Amino acid sequence: SRSSAASDVYKRQTATIQNNPFQIQLMANGIVEAVQKSELRFKTNEQLASLHVKNGDEVINGQRIASLENNLLANRVEKATIDLEKAKNKFTEEKINYGLGKVSEKDMKPTVLKSLRIKSGYFEAKNALVNAQLLYNQTILKAPFTGVIANVKVKEGFYVSASEVFCTVINPNKLEVVFSILESEYSFVNKGQKITLQSFSNLDATLNGVITQINPVVDENGLIEIKAGIQAKNLNLFDGMHVKVLVNKQVKNVIVVPKEALVLRSNKKVVFTLENGVAKWNYVTELHENSTHYAIKKGENLKRTDTIIVSGNMNLSHDAKVNVASVSEK
């Protein structure tokens, strides 16, 4: 132990215990995932004729992304369109021959209308046009929603297979973070609870989120999967990016002290208080901790009105005289 006289050599900093709720802090590593994400494939195999985007480009819903070689199919659509017009003219002739030239289709008997359309080849021509248009459309890739292009790996002239993903469209403004907690931490979280997260590329920027899903299954590693929606615009986060997740929960009816105030004496946890210029040690029970503070069990030696010593207390002894440099509210 240090003598009282020796302890006067050092100026120590103190703090008054604050009547604030304690924030338990659960920390986890998470992965950012896009809520709206689509892997796009062509439905046919052919050579890539045109590519209108590159990775990172923004696209709007319905915008053309790429096209395969489709000249032959375009000719089939044109021919089918012409054949349908011929069938319509033939249908008009059949109406006249049947004595219904001036009768509108809606006023014709359904059985007669159907018979004349079959006889004129209308149904067959219309079906041929639909099929030709369907095959032609399969050579054109369009954005299913507004987002950003990712994972384009081919160039114009390359052969494209329907079995391979051509590109991915991601909505960068609708992201969520997926992380896991231990089974023992399950009571710590609930749906609707707020979280904060930081990307490892920019630890100074903090984003907010809200827990949206708690998977009711414990995996083989004793972990529970949690999902939280990220509440911000212009997130500057990528799908698949690793982030640090902080879940805070308020605990009341505890005494909150800075971490610097707690020291070990004979393997017991002690907080020194200042009474009339003299240090008094107090055995305490630590209930929780976060990055900056400890939550101490209420009803033990410490009182909310106490002044505690937060520096120079590593070798401080009981009843040592203390030279106080300043008082700091923490």
Side-chain angles (χ1 to χ4, degrees):
S1 300
R2 294 174 56 87
S3 67
S4 298
S7 68
D8 279 344
V9 176
Y10 301 99
K11 291 185 177 182
R12 291 171 172 82
Q13 189 176 27
T14 61
T16 54
I17 297 176
Q18 298 298 294
N19 187 22
N20 296 326
F22 181 78
Q23 297 289 342
I24 300 179
Q25 197 170 68
L26 175 65
M27 186 179 299
N29 290 325
I31 298 178
V32 174
E33 291 185 356
V35 176
Q36 200 172 21
K37 177 180 178 179
S38 181
E39 293 183 335
L40 305 184
R41 293 176 172 86
F42 282 102
K43 295 183 179 180
T44 186
N45 306 324
E46 191 52 80
Q47 188 178 28
L48 184 63
S50 60
L51 178 61
H52 308 288
V53 298
K54 60 182 181 297
N55 289 328
D57 281 355
E58 295 182 358
V59 292
I60 61 173
N61 185 17
Q63 180 177 333
R64 182 175 294 200
I65 294 173
S67 301
L68 300 180
E69 179 58 49
N70 56 17
N71 289 336
L72 180 60
L73 294 176
N75 289 335
R76 289 182 180 178
V77 170
E78 186 177 357
K79 180 179 182 304
T81 302
I82 294 172
D83 289 343
L84 180 60
E85 289 300 318
K86 289 180 178 180
K88 289 180 178 179
N89 292 334
K90 180 67 174 176
F91 172 74
T92 301
E93 293 178 4
E94 294 294 337
K95 278 180 59 180
I96 294 172
N97 294 337
Y98 201 80
L100 298 173
K102 295 183 180 181
V103 178
S104 64
E105 293 181 16
K106 65 179 181 180
D107 294 328
M108 295 173 59
K109 292 182 179 180
T111 53
V112 174
L113 177 62
K114 183 177 180 181
S115 176
L116 294 179
R117 282 181 171 173
I118 292 174
K119 190 174 181 180
S120 64
Y122 174 82
F123 285 129
E124 184 178 357
K126 185 177 181 180
N127 185 62
L129 177 58
V130 170
N131 288 336
Q133 190 68 58
L134 180 63
L135 292 174
Y136 177 80
N137 290 342
Q138 289 179 355
T139 66
I140 299 174
L141 209 58
K142 295 183 179 181
F145 52 82
T146 298
V148 175
I149 296 293
N151 297 333
V152 176
K153 300 178 181 179
V154 299
K155 298 179 180 179
E156 292 181 359
F158 280 36
Y159 186 81
V160 176
S161 172
S163 62
E164 298 176 355
V165 175
F166 181 81
C167 70
T168 304
V169 180
I170 297 169
N171 185 341
N173 297 316
K174 289 186 178 181
L175 301 176
E176 63 185 4
V177 60
V178 181
F179 61 99
S180 295
I181 62 172
L182 295 171
E183 178 182 356
S184 59
E185 297 168 333
Y186 171 65
S187 60
F188 188 79
V189 300
N190 56 272
K191 287 182 65 176
Q193 187 173 357
K194 294 182 179 180
I195 67 164
T196 58
L197 60 144
Q198 299 170 313
S199 69
F200 290 104
S201 61
N202 185 7
L203 293 176
D204 294 330
T206 300
L207 297 173
N208 297 320
V210 174
I211 293 177
T212 56
Q213 295 184 40
I214 301 176
N215 190 19
V217 174
V218 179
D219 67 17
E220 63 274 10
N221 298 314
L223 299 174
I224 300 172
E225 185 182 84
I226 311 293
K227 289 187 177 182
I230 303 174
Q231 298 177 313
K233 294 183 178 180
N234 302 319
L235 300 177
N236 199 27
L237 296 174
F238 294 156
D239 180 70
M241 183 176 282
H242 291 264
V243 293
K244 181 169 68 174
V245 180
L246 300 174
V247 185
N248 297 312
K249 187 173 183 179
Q250 192 176 90
V251 177
K252 299 180 179 180
N253 297 319
V254 293
I255 292 176
V256 183
V257 299
K259 279 194 167 182
E260 297 83 0
L262 192 145
V263 294
L264 289 178
R265 289 290 187 274
S266 302
N267 292 323
K268 292 185 178 180
K269 295 173 180 177
V270 172
V271 172
F272 283 95
T273 56
L274 180 65
E275 298 179 17
N276 299 319
V278 175
K280 301 288 184 180
W281 76 17
N282 304 268
Y283 292 115
V284 296
T285 302
E286 172 202 336
L287 298 177
H288 306 286
E289 71 171 296
N290 58 27
S291 59
T292 58
H293 289 75
Y294 288 114
I296 303 300
K297 184 178 179 181
K298 190 177 180 181
E300 294 187 320
N301 297 320
L302 291 184
K303 303 182 295 296
R304 293 193 184 277
T305 56
D306 285 340
T307 298
I308 56 177
I309 299 172
V310 295
S311 71
N313 52 358
M314 294 300 297
N315 297 312
L316 190 61
S317 61
H318 185 61
D319 286 334
K321 292 182 180 179
V322 176
N323 183 9
V324 178
S326 62
V327 177
S328 168
E329 296 285 335
K330 289 196 174 184

